[in-house]
Every structure is written in C-alpha cells, then in structure tokens.
Amino acid sequence: MPSRLAAKVVNHEVNKAGLVDILGDTNHINTQGEEQQKLDIYAHKIFIQTLTNRNIVCGIASEEEEHFIRVNSMDKKNQNKYDVLIDPLDGSSNIDVNVSVGTIFSIYRRMTPLGTPVIEADFLQAGDQQVAAGYVIYGTSTMLVYTTGNGVNGFTLNPALGTFYLSHPNMSYPKNGSIYAINEGNYIHFPLGVKNYIKYCQMESEDRPYTSRYIGSLVSDYHRNMIKGGIYLYPETAKNPSGKLRLLYECNPMAFIAEQAGGKAINGEKRIMSIKPTSLHQRVAFYCGSRKMVEELADFILKNP
Ligand code: P6P
C-alpha cells in the first residue's frame, strides 16, 4: 500500500516538527477557508508523490486541492483503476501544541472506462462503494488502521526498522461506551436532540454521567473511542451549518472502518455511507462510535427533529 511509505515519511517529519522550520502556518488559506499549516502542505505533497508513482491510481482528491488530480499512468495502456480521496494531515491546527494528528484516506474503483481521463463522478460515489479506507495516527506510536471490507486491522510502526507490524488484529468497537467527544463550546447552536443527548450523558444514574473527552483531532478522538468505547459528535453549528467534517475524505472512510468494526456512523438521519455526494469538499454532520451510543443519540434526534 503506497500510503505506508508516505506514512513513514510524514511520521518522520511530524516527529521532528519542533526542531526544524516546519511548524506554524503558511499564511495561505486552503480551499476550505482554513489556514494551511506547513505540515499540511508537506504531507499533501508526499502522499500525492507516492500515490502517483505507482501504476495503481488514476485519480486523487485531496483536502488541500480544490480540484481532483488526474494521474497519468506510466503504462500507455493506463489500466490504473483506483481513485484515492485523502485528508493528508487532519487536525493540523494541533501540530504546534504537540497533539496527535492523522491522515485519513478512502479508496474507490473508478466508474468510468479504463484508460480514459477520470471525471468528477468517479470521486462522487457513496461511501458504500468504497473498496478500502484507513487512517494513520501520528501519536505516542504511529499506527495504520484500515479495512478492505473484511474487518479492521491495526499496524504499529517500528521506527527503528521502518516496518509496520500487525499489532491490533480484528479491531472492534465496544458495543457500548461511556465517553462522548464533542466541542461543547458550540452548544448553543446544536440541534435540540443533540443538546438533550448531552444532558442525558451528564445525568446522574446507574451508568452515567459519562466521561467527556475531546482532543480536537478526529483521528485521535476516533481511535480512543474504538479502543475504549465511545461516541464522537460533530453537529451542525452556526459557523458550519452543514457540519464541519468533509464527507468524502473524513466521514466516509471513518464510517467504513466503524461499520466494519461493529460500530455505527450517521449524519443524524441516515448512515453516512448511504449519502450520495454532490461535491468534493461537501460537509456533513457526523456522529460515529459504539453502536448503542449512536443509536441512543439517533433516538434523541428523532424525538427532537
Ligand atoms: P473544532 C480538525 O480541524 C477537525 O477537522 C477534526 O480533526 C477535529 O475533530 C475537528 O476539526 C475539531 O473542530 O471546531 O472543535 O476545533
């Protein structure tokens, strides 16, 4: 998988970010209207480079590029048949404060004929069409977690050897949990059903209050919840009325992994992976984690549409 090589290279740079001039922002705003961090650009370039150097990928869509990238095969027949959608470095605003960040990717088979230039429709496929998805977390250790539709496996990088080892076979979301992850600073703008769910989490009872944990880095909050049980919530807010997270290269891949691990991922009304995308950088509300917790939240939203 070309992302393993890129993950090692990005990991090396992330781990020494405090020592070389690669911290901070580039004074440039990306297509999302967000300040691009130097490491964002670095990670983007590394993944694009490694993905285009293989006769596998015919197109790439990245959070850091407004339009998708056509990959011309070195092979004249151009039998490359996979599209990759990627968030090269998610949570990059945390880099300067030494909080874990991650890479998220999603892989589809192209829909258009082999050998022809890919078109936007090749990227706007529902999450249920993914053939693979994964994330890399650059944390206390660097892990690659991915699925190809037959369960979820986690690999930990041995930096001394530059090799990923199968450290977490058959990963699965605990069916229930007691951790909820949400930026409560946006509370007043949350839909009523989400507000009521948060109050439910905080209520004294046999199994509550739950614990509130929010790292502000999707891959980190997600990974913790998958190990310990929990739910991650990013509702619509005033600043992001459609939600903040991007459907194609954040929510769909994380939803694929969650469902393969026995968890659940919804936008408040339906499964994330059933949504038919309409644009590359489309945002959605995102609720993902232990199945029972997501189902409880869905009930609160249903009762308070
Ligand atoms: P807020 C990072 O920018 C990100 O996309 C996710 O990694 C993270 O969970 C979320 O946004 C944090 O957003 O608005 O709470 O700072």
Side-chain angles (χ1 to χ4, degrees):
M1 179 176 277
S3 56
R4 276 198 298 247
L5 169 61
K8 291 179 210 173
V9 174
V10 171
N11 173 64
H12 179 69
E13 214 60 23
V14 165
N15 284 344
K16 67 177 187 180
L19 301 174
V20 294
D21 178 24
I22 198 161
L23 282 177
D25 58 61
T26 59
N27 295 320
H28 179 254
I29 303 297
N30 71 6
T31 185
Q32 318 292 335
E34 293 167 348
E35 217 159 34
Q36 277 184 315
Q37 304 294 312
K38 292 175 185 169
L39 263 178
D40 277 329
I41 298 298
Y42 178 82
H44 167 73
K45 287 179 177 168
I46 292 294
F47 276 98
I48 297 302
Q49 190 182 340
T50 52
L51 288 170
T52 48
N53 286 347
R54 311 280 292 270
N55 271 344
I56 301 172
V57 174
C58 51
I60 304 168
S62 166
E63 183 198 47
E64 302 302 334
E65 290 274 356
E66 185 173 356
H67 303 294
F68 64 86
I69 300 163
R70 286 198 175 97
V71 176
N72 298 315
S73 168
M74 278 85 88
D75 169 356
K76 281 193 291 305
K77 293 195 294 300
N78 192 355
Q79 297 302 296
N80 299 4
K81 57 184 173 189
Y82 295 108
D83 296 319
V84 178
L85 297 98
I86 188 164
D87 182 354
L89 204 64
D90 180 71
S92 54
S93 55
N94 293 300
I95 292 165
D96 294 7
V97 296
N98 217 351
V99 165
S100 302
V101 293
T103 297
I104 309 170
F105 61 90
S106 174
I107 303 175
Y108 291 84
R109 220 172 257 102
R110 67 178 297 176
M111 290 164 39
T112 46
L114 292 182
T116 63
V118 285
I119 60 174
E120 190 167 66
D122 284 308
F123 298 90
L124 300 183
Q125 301 181 53
D128 279 325
Q129 302 307 313
Q130 293 173 98
V131 294
Y135 63 85
V136 181
I137 179 169
Y138 309 100
T140 44
S141 64
T142 295
M143 276 192 73
L144 168 63
V145 176
Y146 75 89
T147 182
T148 57
N150 295 299
V152 178
N153 289 301
F155 299 79
T156 300
L157 178 67
N158 176 339
L161 302 177
T163 309
F164 280 98
Y165 287 92
L166 178 59
S167 52
H168 298 64
N170 303 314
M171 295 181 80
S172 69
Y173 251 106
K175 290 287 172 282
N176 199 4
S178 57
I179 297 172
Y180 67 103
I182 189 169
N183 181 346
E184 293 195 50
N186 299 313
Y187 179 84
I188 55 169
H189 302 296
F190 290 159
L192 181 57
V194 174
K195 288 181 177 177
N196 291 344
Y197 178 70
I198 291 172
K199 292 306 163 204
Y200 167 81
C201 293
Q202 296 167 342
M203 209 180 288
E204 289 285 340
S205 79
E206 194 182 322
D207 61 346
R208 285 169 284 132
Y210 293 157
T211 295
S212 173
R213 286 282 183 277
Y214 191 67
I215 301 169
S217 173
L218 169 61
V219 174
S220 304
D221 281 312
Y222 181 102
H223 189 74
R224 180 211 48 241
N225 288 347
M226 186 149 75
I227 303 287
K228 297 192 168 188
I231 183 170
Y232 172 95
L233 306 93
Y234 209 108
E236 301 86 345
T237 63
K239 187 180 171 196
N240 293 293
S242 303
K244 177 181 182 183
L245 300 189
R246 277 59 59 136
L247 173 61
L248 288 179
Y249 41 79
E250 289 175 335
C251 300
N252 269 333
M254 296 311 235
F256 191 15
I257 296 167
E259 291 197 2
Q260 285 290 312
K264 195 160 186 167
I266 61 174
N267 70 344
E269 293 158 31
K270 54 185 167 180
R271 289 174 59 246
I272 287 287
M273 292 206 288
S274 67
I275 297 171
K276 179 69 180 83
T278 51
S279 64
L280 279 184
H281 303 291
Q282 172 178 354
R283 297 173 190 262
V284 290
F286 185 59
Y287 308 104
C288 179
S290 294
R291 176 169 291 278
K292 187 169 178 297
M293 297 182 85
V294 175
E295 287 169 351
E296 275 174 347
L297 166 69
D299 284 344
F300 277 91
I301 293 174
L302 192 64
K303 288 178 192 135
N304 300 277

PDB file of all heavy atoms in Angstrom, residues 89-121:
ATOM      1  N   LEU A  89      -3.351  15.556   6.341  1.00  0.00           N
ATOM      2  CA  LEU A  89      -2.982  15.753   7.743  1.00  0.00           C
ATOM      3  C   LEU A  89      -4.150  16.390   8.485  1.00  0.00           C
ATOM      4  O   LEU A  89      -4.323  17.599   8.509  1.00  0.00           O
ATOM      5  CB  LEU A  89      -1.723  16.627   7.857  1.00  0.00           C
ATOM      6  CG  LEU A  89      -0.951  16.410   9.170  1.00  0.00           C
ATOM      7  CD1 LEU A  89      -0.404  14.988   9.242  1.00  0.00           C
ATOM      8  CD2 LEU A  89       0.211  17.391   9.277  1.00  0.00           C
ATOM      9  N   ASP A  90      -4.963  15.515   9.081  1.00  0.00           N
ATOM     10  CA  ASP A  90      -6.153  16.001   9.794  1.00  0.00           C
ATOM     11  C   ASP A  90      -5.776  16.439  11.212  1.00  0.00           C
ATOM     12  O   ASP A  90      -4.956  15.805  11.868  1.00  0.00           O
ATOM     13  CB  ASP A  90      -7.190  14.886   9.864  1.00  0.00           C
ATOM     14  CG  ASP A  90      -8.433  15.375  10.593  1.00  0.00           C
ATOM     15  OD1 ASP A  90      -9.163  16.201  10.018  1.00  0.00           O
ATOM     16  OD2 ASP A  90      -8.614  14.992  11.758  1.00  0.00           O
ATOM     17  N   GLY A  91      -6.381  17.537  11.637  1.00  0.00           N
ATOM     18  CA  GLY A  91      -6.099  18.023  12.996  1.00  0.00           C
ATOM     19  C   GLY A  91      -4.832  18.855  13.050  1.00  0.00           C
ATOM     20  O   GLY A  91      -4.242  19.048  14.111  1.00  0.00           O
ATOM     21  N   SER A  92      -4.423  19.364  11.882  1.00  0.00           N
ATOM     22  CA  SER A  92      -3.095  20.010  11.818  1.00  0.00           C
ATOM     23  C   SER A  92      -2.999  21.268  12.691  1.00  0.00           C
ATOM     24  O   SER A  92      -1.905  21.674  13.048  1.00  0.00           O
ATOM     25  CB  SER A  92      -2.752  20.366  10.367  1.00  0.00           C
ATOM     26  OG  SER A  92      -3.796  21.133   9.811  1.00  0.00           O
ATOM     27  N   SER A  93      -4.145  21.817  13.085  1.00  0.00           N
ATOM     28  CA  SER A  93      -4.054  23.003  13.971  1.00  0.00           C
ATOM     29  C   SER A  93      -3.452  22.599  15.326  1.00  0.00           C
ATOM     30  O   SER A  93      -3.046  23.433  16.120  1.00  0.00           O
ATOM     31  CB  SER A  93      -5.448  23.601  14.179  1.00  0.00           C
ATOM     32  OG  SER A  93      -6.313  22.595  14.677  1.00  0.00           O
ATOM     33  N   ASN A  94      -3.378  21.274  15.575  1.00  0.00           N
ATOM     34  CA  ASN A  94      -2.822  20.815  16.864  1.00  0.00           C
ATOM     35  C   ASN A  94      -1.313  20.597  16.822  1.00  0.00           C
ATOM     36  O   ASN A  94      -0.697  20.281  17.830  1.00  0.00           O
ATOM     37  CB  ASN A  94      -3.481  19.476  17.248  1.00  0.00           C
ATOM     38  CG  ASN A  94      -4.956  19.643  17.561  1.00  0.00           C
ATOM     39  OD1 ASN A  94      -5.307  20.381  18.464  1.00  0.00           O
ATOM     40  ND2 ASN A  94      -5.812  18.994  16.795  1.00  0.00           N
ATOM     41  N   ILE A  95      -0.737  20.708  15.621  1.00  0.00           N
ATOM     42  CA  ILE A  95       0.689  20.360  15.476  1.00  0.00           C
ATOM     43  C   ILE A  95       1.559  21.184  16.427  1.00  0.00           C
ATOM     44  O   ILE A  95       2.387  20.658  17.158  1.00  0.00           O
ATOM     45  CB  ILE A  95       1.150  20.598  14.023  1.00  0.00           C
ATOM     46  CG1 ILE A  95       0.467  19.593  13.098  1.00  0.00           C
ATOM     47  CG2 ILE A  95       2.671  20.449  13.912  1.00  0.00           C
ATOM     48  CD1 ILE A  95       0.570  19.985  11.644  1.00  0.00           C
ATOM     49  N   ASP A  96       1.291  22.485  16.461  1.00  0.00           N
ATOM     50  CA  ASP A  96       2.180  23.370  17.243  1.00  0.00           C
ATOM     51  C   ASP A  96       2.048  23.126  18.742  1.00  0.00           C
ATOM     52  O   ASP A  96       2.878  23.599  19.514  1.00  0.00           O
ATOM     53  CB  ASP A  96       1.855  24.840  16.924  1.00  0.00           C
ATOM     54  CG  ASP A  96       2.187  25.184  15.475  1.00  0.00           C
ATOM     55  OD1 ASP A  96       2.525  24.241  14.737  1.00  0.00           O
ATOM     56  OD2 ASP A  96       2.090  26.365  15.108  1.00  0.00           O
ATOM     57  N   VAL A  97       1.004  22.414  19.159  1.00  0.00           N
ATOM     58  CA  VAL A  97       0.852  22.155  20.605  1.00  0.00           C
ATOM     59  C   VAL A  97       1.092  20.671  20.902  1.00  0.00           C
ATOM     60  O   VAL A  97       0.699  20.159  21.945  1.00  0.00           O
ATOM     61  CB  VAL A  97      -0.538  22.609  21.104  1.00  0.00           C
ATOM     62  CG1 VAL A  97      -0.683  24.114  20.965  1.00  0.00           C
ATOM     63  CG2 VAL A  97      -1.661  21.896  20.351  1.00  0.00           C
ATOM     64  N   ASN A  98       1.718  19.980  19.938  1.00  0.00           N
ATOM     65  CA  ASN A  98       2.195  18.617  20.157  1.00  0.00           C
ATOM     66  C   ASN A  98       1.082  17.613  20.453  1.00  0.00           C
ATOM     67  O   ASN A  98       1.255  16.702  21.264  1.00  0.00           O
ATOM     68  CB  ASN A  98       3.226  18.606  21.298  1.00  0.00           C
ATOM     69  CG  ASN A  98       4.336  17.606  20.985  1.00  0.00           C
ATOM     70  OD1 ASN A  98       4.208  16.840  20.011  1.00  0.00           O
ATOM     71  ND2 ASN A  98       5.376  17.601  21.778  1.00  0.00           N
ATOM     72  N   VAL A  99      -0.068  17.832  19.828  1.00  0.00           N
ATOM     73  CA  VAL A  99      -1.178  16.879  19.972  1.00  0.00           C
ATOM     74  C   VAL A  99      -1.193  15.970  18.731  1.00  0.00           C
ATOM     75  O   VAL A  99      -0.835  16.406  17.635  1.00  0.00           O
ATOM     76  CB  VAL A  99      -2.517  17.648  20.098  1.00  0.00           C
ATOM     77  CG1 VAL A  99      -3.725  16.746  19.892  1.00  0.00           C
ATOM     78  CG2 VAL A  99      -2.595  18.329  21.467  1.00  0.00           C
ATOM     79  N   SER A 100      -1.582  14.708  18.941  1.00  0.00           N
ATOM     80  CA  SER A 100      -1.594  13.757  17.825  1.00  0.00           C
ATOM     81  C   SER A 100      -2.427  14.267  16.657  1.00  0.00           C
ATOM     82  O   SER A 100      -3.470  14.885  16.845  1.00  0.00           O
ATOM     83  CB  SER A 100      -2.185  12.419  18.296  1.00  0.00           C
ATOM     84  OG  SER A 100      -1.447  11.920  19.365  1.00  0.00           O
ATOM     85  N   VAL A 101      -1.950  13.969  15.462  1.00  0.00           N
ATOM     86  CA  VAL A 101      -2.669  14.298  14.226  1.00  0.00           C
ATOM     87  C   VAL A 101      -2.755  13.026  13.391  1.00  0.00           C
ATOM     88  O   VAL A 101      -2.249  11.969  13.796  1.00  0.00           O
ATOM     89  CB  VAL A 101      -1.946  15.423  13.445  1.00  0.00           C
ATOM     90  CG1 VAL A 101      -2.019  16.728  14.216  1.00  0.00           C
ATOM     91  CG2 VAL A 101      -0.494  15.044  13.168  1.00  0.00           C
ATOM     92  N   GLY A 102      -3.412  13.121  12.227  1.00  0.00           N
ATOM     93  CA  GLY A 102      -3.577  11.897  11.448  1.00  0.00           C
ATOM     94  C   GLY A 102      -3.784  12.142   9.972  1.00  0.00           C
ATOM     95  O   GLY A 102      -3.986  13.274   9.535  1.00  0.00           O
ATOM     96  N   THR A 103      -3.705  11.070   9.219  1.00  0.00           N
ATOM     97  CA  THR A 103      -4.018  11.052   7.780  1.00  0.00           C
ATOM     98  C   THR A 103      -5.220  10.139   7.603  1.00  0.00           C
ATOM     99  O   THR A 103      -5.312   9.112   8.275  1.00  0.00           O
ATOM    100  CB  THR A 103      -2.827  10.473   6.982  1.00  0.00           C
ATOM    101  OG1 THR A 103      -1.694  11.328   7.154  1.00  0.00           O
ATOM    102  CG2 THR A 103      -3.165  10.340   5.509  1.00  0.00           C
ATOM    103  N   ILE A 104      -6.167  10.530   6.749  1.00  0.00           N
ATOM    104  CA  ILE A 104      -7.358   9.708   6.506  1.00  0.00           C
ATOM    105  C   ILE A 104      -7.493   9.495   4.993  1.00  0.00           C
ATOM    106  O   ILE A 104      -7.319  10.453   4.225  1.00  0.00           O
ATOM    107  CB  ILE A 104      -8.640  10.395   7.042  1.00  0.00           C
ATOM    108  CG1 ILE A 104      -8.450  10.846   8.498  1.00  0.00           C
ATOM    109  CG2 ILE A 104      -9.844   9.453   6.942  1.00  0.00           C
ATOM    110  CD1 ILE A 104      -9.579  11.739   9.022  1.00  0.00           C
ATOM    111  N   PHE A 105      -7.762   8.244   4.580  1.00  0.00           N
ATOM    112  CA  PHE A 105      -7.886   8.009   3.132  1.00  0.00           C
ATOM    113  C   PHE A 105      -9.024   7.047   2.817  1.00  0.00           C
ATOM    114  O   PHE A 105      -9.404   6.200   3.639  1.00  0.00           O
ATOM    115  CB  PHE A 105      -6.563   7.480   2.541  1.00  0.00           C
ATOM    116  CG  PHE A 105      -6.107   6.173   3.116  1.00  0.00           C
ATOM    117  CD1 PHE A 105      -6.509   4.968   2.540  1.00  0.00           C
ATOM    118  CD2 PHE A 105      -5.275   6.123   4.235  1.00  0.00           C
ATOM    119  CE1 PHE A 105      -6.088   3.750   3.062  1.00  0.00           C
ATOM    120  CE2 PHE A 105      -4.851   4.908   4.770  1.00  0.00           C
ATOM    121  CZ  PHE A 105      -5.254   3.717   4.190  1.00  0.00           C
ATOM    122  N   SER A 106      -9.519   7.196   1.601  1.00  0.00           N
ATOM    123  CA  SER A 106     -10.655   6.395   1.122  1.00  0.00           C
ATOM    124  C   SER A 106     -10.353   5.969  -0.308  1.00  0.00           C
ATOM    125  O   SER A 106      -9.821   6.766  -1.088  1.00  0.00           O
ATOM    126  CB  SER A 106     -11.915   7.273   1.165  1.00  0.00           C
ATOM    127  OG  SER A 106     -13.008   6.630   0.612  1.00  0.00           O
ATOM    128  N   ILE A 107     -10.642   4.727  -0.655  1.00  0.00           N
ATOM    129  CA  ILE A 107     -10.277   4.209  -1.986  1.00  0.00           C
ATOM    130  C   ILE A 107     -11.515   3.624  -2.673  1.00  0.00           C
ATOM    131  O   ILE A 107     -12.283   2.870  -2.061  1.00  0.00           O
ATOM    132  CB  ILE A 107      -9.180   3.130  -1.892  1.00  0.00           C
ATOM    133  CG1 ILE A 107      -7.937   3.702  -1.185  1.00  0.00           C
ATOM    134  CG2 ILE A 107      -8.812   2.613  -3.288  1.00  0.00           C
ATOM    135  CD1 ILE A 107      -6.831   2.680  -0.922  1.00  0.00           C
ATOM    136  N   TYR A 108     -11.710   4.030  -3.939  1.00  0.00           N
ATOM    137  CA  TYR A 108     -12.828   3.533  -4.772  1.00  0.00           C
ATOM    138  C   TYR A 108     -12.277   2.951  -6.065  1.00  0.00           C
ATOM    139  O   TYR A 108     -11.183   3.331  -6.508  1.00  0.00           O
ATOM    140  CB  TYR A 108     -13.764   4.692  -5.155  1.00  0.00           C
ATOM    141  CG  TYR A 108     -14.567   5.280  -4.026  1.00  0.00           C
ATOM    142  CD1 TYR A 108     -14.017   6.255  -3.192  1.00  0.00           C
ATOM    143  CD2 TYR A 108     -15.878   4.875  -3.784  1.00  0.00           C
ATOM    144  CE1 TYR A 108     -14.749   6.809  -2.146  1.00  0.00           C
ATOM    145  CE2 TYR A 108     -16.615   5.438  -2.740  1.00  0.00           C
ATOM    146  CZ  TYR A 108     -16.047   6.393  -1.941  1.00  0.00           C
ATOM    147  OH  TYR A 108     -16.781   6.935  -0.901  1.00  0.00           O
ATOM    148  N   ARG A 109     -13.067   2.064  -6.674  1.00  0.00           N
ATOM    149  CA  ARG A 109     -12.788   1.660  -8.051  1.00  0.00           C
ATOM    150  C   ARG A 109     -13.391   2.743  -8.960  1.00  0.00           C
ATOM    151  O   ARG A 109     -14.497   3.230  -8.660  1.00  0.00           O
ATOM    152  CB  ARG A 109     -13.481   0.316  -8.324  1.00  0.00           C
ATOM    153  CG  ARG A 109     -12.642  -0.634  -9.137  1.00  0.00           C
ATOM    154  CD  ARG A 109     -13.271  -2.023  -9.222  1.00  0.00           C
ATOM    155  NE  ARG A 109     -12.603  -2.982  -8.331  1.00  0.00           N
ATOM    156  CZ  ARG A 109     -13.074  -3.371  -7.165  1.00  0.00           C
ATOM    157  NH1 ARG A 109     -14.194  -2.904  -6.706  1.00  0.00           N
ATOM    158  NH2 ARG A 109     -12.414  -4.226  -6.413  1.00  0.00           N
ATOM    159  N   ARG A 110     -12.692   3.132  -9.988  1.00  0.00           N
ATOM    160  CA  ARG A 110     -13.252   4.158 -10.877  1.00  0.00           C
ATOM    161  C   ARG A 110     -14.513   3.617 -11.547  1.00  0.00           C
ATOM    162  O   ARG A 110     -14.656   2.398 -11.742  1.00  0.00           O
ATOM    163  CB  ARG A 110     -12.232   4.578 -11.925  1.00  0.00           C
ATOM    164  CG  ARG A 110     -11.862   3.538 -12.931  1.00  0.00           C
ATOM    165  CD  ARG A 110     -10.885   4.058 -13.951  1.00  0.00           C
ATOM    166  NE  ARG A 110     -11.466   5.153 -14.747  1.00  0.00           N
ATOM    167  CZ  ARG A 110     -10.776   5.839 -15.657  1.00  0.00           C
ATOM    168  NH1 ARG A 110      -9.497   5.573 -15.888  1.00  0.00           N
ATOM    169  NH2 ARG A 110     -11.345   6.811 -16.316  1.00  0.00           N
ATOM    170  N   MET A 111     -15.422   4.519 -11.910  1.00  0.00           N
ATOM    171  CA  MET A 111     -16.676   4.106 -12.564  1.00  0.00           C
ATOM    172  C   MET A 111     -16.565   4.234 -14.078  1.00  0.00           C
ATOM    173  O   MET A 111     -17.254   3.557 -14.825  1.00  0.00           O
ATOM    174  CB  MET A 111     -17.830   5.021 -12.100  1.00  0.00           C
ATOM    175  CG  MET A 111     -18.242   4.833 -10.680  1.00  0.00           C
ATOM    176  SD  MET A 111     -19.232   6.229 -10.129  1.00  0.00           S
ATOM    177  CE  MET A 111     -20.233   6.582 -11.533  1.00  0.00           C
ATOM    178  N   THR A 112     -15.645   5.102 -14.550  1.00  0.00           N
ATOM    179  CA  THR A 112     -15.547   5.372 -15.990  1.00  0.00           C
ATOM    180  C   THR A 112     -14.564   4.386 -16.636  1.00  0.00           C
ATOM    181  O   THR A 112     -13.778   3.757 -15.934  1.00  0.00           O
ATOM    182  CB  THR A 112     -15.071   6.833 -16.193  1.00  0.00           C
ATOM    183  OG1 THR A 112     -13.963   7.078 -15.316  1.00  0.00           O
ATOM    184  CG2 THR A 112     -16.196   7.796 -15.870  1.00  0.00           C
ATOM    185  N   PRO A 113     -14.589   4.245 -17.960  1.00  0.00           N
ATOM    186  CA  PRO A 113     -13.788   3.211 -18.636  1.00  0.00           C
ATOM    187  C   PRO A 113     -12.285   3.359 -18.380  1.00  0.00           C
ATOM    188  O   PRO A 113     -11.759   4.479 -18.366  1.00  0.00           O
ATOM    189  CB  PRO A 113     -14.107   3.434 -20.120  1.00  0.00           C
ATOM    190  CG  PRO A 113     -15.410   4.151 -20.139  1.00  0.00           C
ATOM    191  CD  PRO A 113     -15.441   4.998 -18.910  1.00  0.00           C
ATOM    192  N   LEU A 114     -11.599   2.247 -18.180  1.00  0.00           N
ATOM    193  CA  LEU A 114     -10.134   2.259 -18.017  1.00  0.00           C
ATOM    194  C   LEU A 114      -9.497   2.992 -19.199  1.00  0.00           C
ATOM    195  O   LEU A 114      -9.977   2.895 -20.328  1.00  0.00           O
ATOM    196  CB  LEU A 114      -9.604   0.822 -17.963  1.00  0.00           C
ATOM    197  CG  LEU A 114      -9.976  -0.020 -16.732  1.00  0.00           C
ATOM    198  CD1 LEU A 114      -9.318  -1.395 -16.826  1.00  0.00           C
ATOM    199  CD2 LEU A 114      -9.556   0.689 -15.448  1.00  0.00           C
ATOM    200  N   GLY A 115      -8.433   3.713 -18.904  1.00  0.00           N
ATOM    201  CA  GLY A 115      -7.688   4.351 -19.997  1.00  0.00           C
ATOM    202  C   GLY A 115      -8.213   5.726 -20.363  1.00  0.00           C
ATOM    203  O   GLY A 115      -7.527   6.520 -21.004  1.00  0.00           O
ATOM    204  N   THR A 116      -9.456   6.052 -19.901  1.00  0.00           N
ATOM    205  CA  THR A 116      -9.975   7.414 -20.186  1.00  0.00           C
ATOM    206  C   THR A 116      -9.653   8.303 -18.981  1.00  0.00           C
ATOM    207  O   THR A 116      -9.445   7.799 -17.874  1.00  0.00           O
ATOM    208  CB  THR A 116     -11.508   7.375 -20.376  1.00  0.00           C
ATOM    209  OG1 THR A 116     -12.113   6.941 -19.139  1.00  0.00           O
ATOM    210  CG2 THR A 116     -11.876   6.416 -21.493  1.00  0.00           C
ATOM    211  N   PRO A 117      -9.600   9.619 -19.163  1.00  0.00           N
ATOM    212  CA  PRO A 117      -9.318  10.503 -18.007  1.00  0.00           C
ATOM    213  C   PRO A 117     -10.440  10.395 -16.970  1.00  0.00           C
ATOM    214  O   PRO A 117     -11.611  10.349 -17.342  1.00  0.00           O
ATOM    215  CB  PRO A 117      -9.292  11.906 -18.634  1.00  0.00           C
ATOM    216  CG  PRO A 117      -9.126  11.701 -20.099  1.00  0.00           C
ATOM    217  CD  PRO A 117      -9.761  10.377 -20.417  1.00  0.00           C
ATOM    218  N   VAL A 118     -10.086  10.321 -15.690  1.00  0.00           N
ATOM    219  CA  VAL A 118     -11.140  10.279 -14.657  1.00  0.00           C
ATOM    220  C   VAL A 118     -11.922  11.585 -14.682  1.00  0.00           C
ATOM    221  O   VAL A 118     -11.413  12.629 -15.086  1.00  0.00           O
ATOM    222  CB  VAL A 118     -10.533  10.089 -13.241  1.00  0.00           C
ATOM    223  CG1 VAL A 118     -10.073   8.681 -13.017  1.00  0.00           C
ATOM    224  CG2 VAL A 118      -9.437  11.082 -12.951  1.00  0.00           C
ATOM    225  N   ILE A 119     -13.175  11.466 -14.244  1.00  0.00           N
ATOM    226  CA  ILE A 119     -14.032  12.665 -14.150  1.00  0.00           C
ATOM    227  C   ILE A 119     -14.536  12.787 -12.714  1.00  0.00           C
ATOM    228  O   ILE A 119     -14.347  11.855 -11.913  1.00  0.00           O
ATOM    229  CB  ILE A 119     -15.225  12.564 -15.144  1.00  0.00           C
ATOM    230  CG1 ILE A 119     -16.071  11.330 -14.836  1.00  0.00           C
ATOM    231  CG2 ILE A 119     -14.709  12.545 -16.589  1.00  0.00           C
ATOM    232  CD1 ILE A 119     -17.348  11.240 -15.669  1.00  0.00           C
ATOM    233  N   GLU A 120     -15.185  13.908 -12.407  1.00  0.00           N
ATOM    234  CA  GLU A 120     -15.582  14.145 -11.010  1.00  0.00           C
ATOM    235  C   GLU A 120     -16.510  13.035 -10.496  1.00  0.00           C
ATOM    236  O   GLU A 120     -16.432  12.617  -9.336  1.00  0.00           O
ATOM    237  CB  GLU A 120     -16.274  15.507 -10.875  1.00  0.00           C
ATOM    238  CG  GLU A 120     -16.473  15.881  -9.397  1.00  0.00           C
ATOM    239  CD  GLU A 120     -16.872  17.338  -9.190  1.00  0.00           C
ATOM    240  OE1 GLU A 120     -17.992  17.712  -9.618  1.00  0.00           O
ATOM    241  OE2 GLU A 120     -16.066  18.079  -8.584  1.00  0.00           O
ATOM    242  N   ALA A 121     -17.328  12.491 -11.364  1.00  0.00           N
ATOM    243  CA  ALA A 121     -18.274  11.430 -10.940  1.00  0.00           C
ATOM    244  C   ALA A 121     -17.535  10.233 -10.342  1.00  0.00           C
ATOM    245  O   ALA A 121     -18.052   9.531  -9.467  1.00  0.00           O
ATOM    246  CB  ALA A 121     -19.118  10.983 -12.124  1.00  0.00           C
TER     247      ALA A 121
END
